[in-house]
Amino acid sequence: METLSVRDRGQDLLPLFPEHSSVTPDGELVIGGVGVAGLAERFGTPAYIVDEAGLRNQARRLRDGLAARHPDSDVVWASKSFPCLAVYQLMKAQGLAIDVAGAGELVMALAAGVPPERLYLHGNAKTTAELTMALEAGVGTVVVDNFDDIDRLEHLATRPQRVLIRIIPGISPETHESQSTGGDDSKFGLPVDQAREAIARIRSSDWLQLDGLHLHIGSQILATEPFAQAVEAIAVLGTFDVYDVGGGLGVRYTLQDEAPTVEQYLDTITAAAAAYLPAGARLVIEPGRSMVARSCVTLYRVTTVKHTGRTFVAVDGGMADNLDAALTGQPFEAAIATRMADAPDEVVDLVGRQCESGDRLVAGLPVPAPVVGDLVVMPVTGAYTYTLANNYNGALRPPIVFCRDGQARLVAERETHEHVLALHRPARQDPIGE
């Protein structure tokens, strides 16, 4: 199949698409060497389509870029961003450690073959059952969020357990309120005065080994300065072997967005570490969104086109497979996937099929005149779409397809009605009567 590279085509939206994207001369989008029309025919819609090689490359950029700037370092992938077994396997293969926030993510990581010593357990409300599971599995590091964590760990541990203490650095970056986690009123972590008490307590513990400090100021942060400010803020707590400065680097979702590059982010983090942290300390980062977002697109099919007060183009997915658009108001872009070269001649609202007026995927979208049956593709959907997928109106979670070198591979099946009904087996076996 003859294709032209993204740069040669010069289409406005293409810089948002996965790294290994191209467009055929007749305007069909190709991901990882596979045309979207064939993907829709084979796997159906909606579907999450992942550029596997691009995802691997991003993992290497972060891993190698940090190591070049700060040799004693580690990259921990924040798996809540895309909890797919194949992604866990890919990150393990790239030598990354894994951040899990609860039993479900822990189970996925272990099933993917991630060595337990390469796992970091997070969470502000860890249960006794989750901590027991983590300790029995041999999780390498537990990030202590509160004094109840300390109580439970000291009661449950049967051998020394490495821990970090999560600190509230008092930094509130510009992002959506729900994605800001470093301010003084955050539900995560301990303020500096309480952190000092936790440090003293853990250092006197027979079972807990304090490696260092952890912080995380939020997600989808489009400036680098707050990351440096957070590093400076925790330096007052003293000298430790490990400083985990979290993640939060934002990505470019729309043409209007300006996001820092990986290189700019790493330059800022490592310069702050050199300025404020002790020489020789291990530096850890936890990228999530910036690791996976660009690697994936969501493929839909147009079901209706309606000209009323506005032109509404409805697709066979929506807030059930991309809750972020409704939940946080995150803007996205989209395109007609088989007419990428056509000039727009209509402005539409791209909407989903869930019964909410807020189920609007993209407002004011310029496209070539859409018709029922068109394929629509939305870029930058690798982060938190699968995570937040739900069954609103009986929707079924879409499949995940990896594309690489012209080959497409199903890595997560589409949910079925049988999967959903299986959860209701008790009522099916013993129906509720009058």
Side-chain angles (χ1 to χ4, degrees):
M1 180 188 303
E2 181 188 358
T3 62
L4 299 177
S5 73
V6 169
R7 290 181 176 83
D8 290 338
R9 290 296 300 181
Q11 302 299 314
D12 288 345
L13 288 178
L14 285 174
L16 303 177
F17 280 82
E19 182 177 348
H20 297 97
S21 299
S22 58
V23 177
T24 65
D26 61 359
E28 180 184 1
L29 179 68
V30 176
I31 304 291
V34 186
V36 293
L39 289 168
E41 181 68 24
R42 181 177 170 188
F43 301 106
T45 55
Y48 300 119
I49 310 299
V50 176
D51 169 18
E52 179 184 347
L55 184 54
R56 290 180 186 274
N57 287 347
Q58 186 72 344
R60 294 188 190 110
R61 286 186 193 101
L62 284 154
R63 180 197 67 195
D64 296 346
L66 181 60
R69 293 166 173 80
H70 193 102
D72 189 2
S73 62
D74 204 3
V75 175
V76 182
W77 172 55
S79 69
K80 61 182 177 289
S81 60
F82 199 174
C84 164
L85 193 69
V87 182
Y88 282 95
Q89 293 169 335
L90 184 150
M91 297 302 175
K92 168 183 172 285
Q94 301 310 308
L96 272 58
I98 308 294
D99 155 356
V100 295
E105 292 175 7
L106 174 58
V107 167
M108 292 281 280
L110 294 173
V114 179
E117 63 271 17
R118 295 288 287 154
L119 295 176
Y120 288 64
L121 177 67
H122 286 261
N124 71 300
K126 305 178 193 72
T127 66
T128 298
E130 286 173 324
L131 286 171
T132 299
M133 181 187 297
L135 294 175
E136 290 178 349
V139 163
T141 301
V142 175
V143 179
V144 168
D145 181 272
N146 49 65
F147 290 102
D148 294 317
D149 279 352
I150 300 174
D151 291 340
R152 290 190 178 100
L153 286 169
E154 289 190 315
H155 176 71
L156 295 170
T158 58
R159 58 179 178 269
Q161 174 63 52
R162 300 200 314 273
V163 300
L164 301 174
I165 297 176
R166 181 159 179 170
I167 310 301
I168 298 176
I171 303 299
S172 298
E174 184 177 344
T175 187
H176 190 273
E177 181 181 4
S178 67
Q179 297 170 336
S180 181
T181 61
D184 292 332
D185 58 354
S186 175
K187 75 173 186 178
F188 300 99
L190 295 171
V192 169
D193 58 339
Q194 294 182 31
R196 295 186 193 279
E197 180 183 348
I199 290 167
R201 181 171 167 188
I202 292 173
R203 282 178 167 162
S204 66
S205 172
D206 293 332
W207 294 108
L208 305 183
Q209 173 187 319
L210 181 59
D211 284 354
L213 307 180
H214 174 277
L215 66 88
H216 180 63
I217 60 173
S219 185
Q220 188 53 11
I221 298 167
L222 297 176
T224 60
E225 294 83 4
F227 297 112
Q229 293 166 1
V231 172
E232 181 181 7
I234 65 166
V236 300
L237 283 166
T239 299
F240 300 89
D241 293 334
V242 178
Y243 293 85
D244 183 334
V245 297
L249 175 63
V251 301
R252 190 183 185 203
Y253 280 97
T254 72
L255 294 177
Q256 288 71 42
D257 289 336
E258 294 183 7
T261 65
V262 166
E263 292 72 25
Q264 289 169 332
Y265 165 72
L266 294 176
D267 284 345
T268 298
I269 291 292
T270 54
Y276 303 115
L277 303 183
R282 187 170 181 80
L283 183 64
V284 180
I285 63 171
E286 295 178 353
R289 186 187 306 267
S290 62
M291 181 78 77
V292 299
R294 188 189 172 199
S295 69
C296 179
V297 304
T298 306
L299 191 60
Y300 301 105
R301 194 175 292 278
V302 174
T303 59
T304 61
V305 178
K306 183 165 58 176
H307 303 279
T308 54
R310 301 179 181 180
T311 297
F312 292 102
V313 177
V315 295
D316 53 0
M319 63 188 294
D321 58 77
N322 187 348
L323 188 58
D324 211 17
L327 184 66
T328 69
Q330 176 60 57
F332 287 85
E333 303 276 11
I336 306 296
T338 56
R339 289 188 277 149
M340 295 288 290
D342 292 0
D345 54 15
E346 196 166 350
V347 176
V348 308
D349 278 7
L350 183 70
V351 298
R353 66 183 312 274
Q354 274 68 57
C355 294
E356 293 285 343
S357 293
D359 186 21
R360 180 180 285 108
L361 294 170
V362 186
L365 178 68
V367 290
V371 296
V372 171
D374 271 341
L375 290 175
V376 171
V377 63
M378 179 178 290
V380 203
T381 58
Y384 299 101
T385 48
Y386 191 70
T387 309
L388 297 171
N390 59 83
N391 296 120
Y392 196 173
N393 294 146
L396 301 172
R397 290 171 176 82
I400 303 172
V401 180
F402 274 24
C403 294
R404 183 182 182 185
D405 298 331
Q407 301 295 316
R409 180 165 65 108
L410 183 69
V411 299
E413 298 175 352
R414 185 184 303 279
E415 189 176 34
T416 67
H417 296 300
E418 288 71 26
H419 289 142
V420 176
L421 283 172
L423 300 175
H424 302 270
R425 187 178 296 112
R428 298 180 74 186
Q429 294 174 343
D430 184 17
I432 304 297
E434 294 184 4

